[in-house]
Amino acid sequence: MDLFDIPPGKVTVHHAYVPLRAPARLENYQPHMHMRGKAMSMEAIYPDGRREVLGKVSDYKHIWQIAYQFSPDARPLLPKGTMLIFTSVFDNTAANPLNPDPEQWVVFGRRGVDEMSHMWVGITELQQAEFDRLVAERTAKLVSEEEQGGTEDQRR
């Protein structure tokens, strides 16, 4: 994410964009911000223009750090050329109970009183043939489940 600043008493939204230069499978993600971090999301814009939210933490708290794992059957498979968009929301107001000073102008930095925005993402880059095979396997499994009346969870 580019450098940014957060004015006193404001909620701000910041975006970062990362293009995938190869087909990929996402394994996990872990947002990281400091005390004024409020929410963070990861969205894909596919080469065909479709958009999909891949992960979102709506109630981020710097006092805990969690890596979110995609289940093996639901790991996003992303074609080359997909654009990942990372959106971070910061709350530099008195309404944020973790904010030590809502009157302070906050800048990007490594110190806890500064702010940062990172999304650590476990990405496995794939060869095109491997990507095509995984997509075909997933599609075949979904078709099979639909023919059998849905997944076990859906039948309950």
Side-chain angles (χ1 to χ4, degrees), residues 116-137:
M116 64 173 47
S117 176
H118 298 294
M119 177 79 82
W120 291 302
V121 182
I123 297 177
T124 302
E125 286 191 350
L126 304 167
Q127 295 296 321
Q128 188 63 49
E130 177 73 357
F131 174 79
D132 293 341
R133 182 185 65 77
L134 291 170
V135 169
E137 286 175 1

Side-chain angles (χ1 to χ4, degrees), residues 1-152:
M1 177 163 276
D2 292 328
L3 300 180
F4 55 84
D5 55 14
I6 306 166
K10 299 291 183 186
V11 173
T12 61
V13 178
H14 304 268
H15 303 282
Y17 305 88
V18 178
L20 295 181
R21 296 190 173 116
R25 180 181 63 219
L26 302 188
E27 312 293 341
N28 56 59
Y29 65 98
Q30 180 180 347
H32 180 82
M33 299 181 282
H34 287 164
M35 294 177 279
R36 293 161 182 91
K38 180 176 182 177
M40 194 168 195
S41 65
M42 175 174 51
E43 182 179 8
I45 299 179
Y46 295 94
D48 65 6
R50 240 177 351 110
R51 294 177 77 122
E52 179 181 15
V53 174
L54 303 174
K56 183 174 183 177
V57 176
S58 299
D59 189 24
Y60 180 84
K61 298 277 189 287
H62 180 62
I63 55 178
W64 46 261
Q65 303 290 313
I66 296 175
Y68 298 89
Q69 306 288 325
F70 292 105
S71 66
D73 290 343
R75 292 179 181 142
L77 297 171
L78 307 174
K80 176 182 178 178
T82 298
M83 180 68 69
L84 294 178
I85 302 173
F86 300 95
T87 302
S88 303
V89 179
F90 296 95
D91 182 352
N92 192 17
T93 70
N96 176 355
L98 299 178
N99 188 353
D101 184 1
E103 300 301 316
Q104 182 68 38
W105 197 285
V106 180
V107 297
F108 180 90
R110 294 178 184 254
R111 302 176 311 155
V113 295
D114 295 332
E115 204 42 83
M116 64 173 47
S117 176
H118 298 294
M119 177 79 82
W120 291 302
V121 182
I123 297 177
T124 302
E125 286 191 350
L126 304 167
Q127 295 296 321
Q128 188 63 49
E130 177 73 357
F131 174 79
D132 293 341
R133 182 185 65 77
L134 291 170
V135 169
E137 286 175 1
R138 185 169 291 173
T139 301
K141 182 175 182 184
L142 290 173
V143 168
S144 175
E145 288 173 351
E146 286 176 7
E147 290 172 351
Q148 295 174 16
T151 64
E152 184 177 328

